[in-house]
Amino acid sequence: ILSLIDSITPYTSSGKWGTLEALIFVIFVSMVRDGIEDYYRYKSDKYFNYSRTEVLRPHGFESVFWTDVRVGDICRVNSGEFFPADLVML
């Protein structure tokens, strides 16, 4: 907001477009950085969502992807195995 006010007033401290260009550059760099972080998070989520776990079914434990686990499923987690933070341990 200050950059916009500074750019439209006749008496500016840093030239007509100096502060606005700096603001646009900072916002652009921030957008690129956030986009890269989101991409790496997407890849990480995809890797973990398609890893396997064991879920109790009526006929015994069955190996399924984490994306197929539903609320109320009983999962068997072995020692040293990854599991999501929203899994309740009994």
Side-chain angles (χ1 to χ4, degrees), residues 25-45:
F25 175 75
V26 168
I27 290 174
F28 176 75
V29 169
S30 177
M31 286 174 46
V32 169
R33 187 195 66 198
D34 289 344
I36 291 170
E37 288 177 5
D38 287 346
Y39 174 72
Y40 284 122
R41 177 63 189 227
Y42 163 77
K43 285 178 63 174
S44 172
D45 287 348

Side-chain angles (χ1 to χ4, degrees), residues 24-73:
I24 290 171
F25 175 75
V26 168
I27 290 174
F28 176 75
V29 169
S30 177
M31 286 174 46
V32 169
R33 187 195 66 198
D34 289 344
I36 291 170
E37 288 177 5
D38 287 346
Y39 174 72
Y40 284 122
R41 177 63 189 227
Y42 163 77
K43 285 178 63 174
S44 172
D45 287 348
K46 190 172 181 180
Y47 171 77
F48 285 116
N49 285 340
Y50 287 100
S51 60
R52 292 198 167 270
T53 189
E54 294 180 353
V55 175
L56 183 62
R57 302 288 187 218
H59 55 277
F61 281 97
E62 180 182 339
S63 180
V64 298
F65 293 116
W66 277 108
T67 55
D68 297 329
V69 174
R70 300 291 172 237
V71 175
D73 283 347

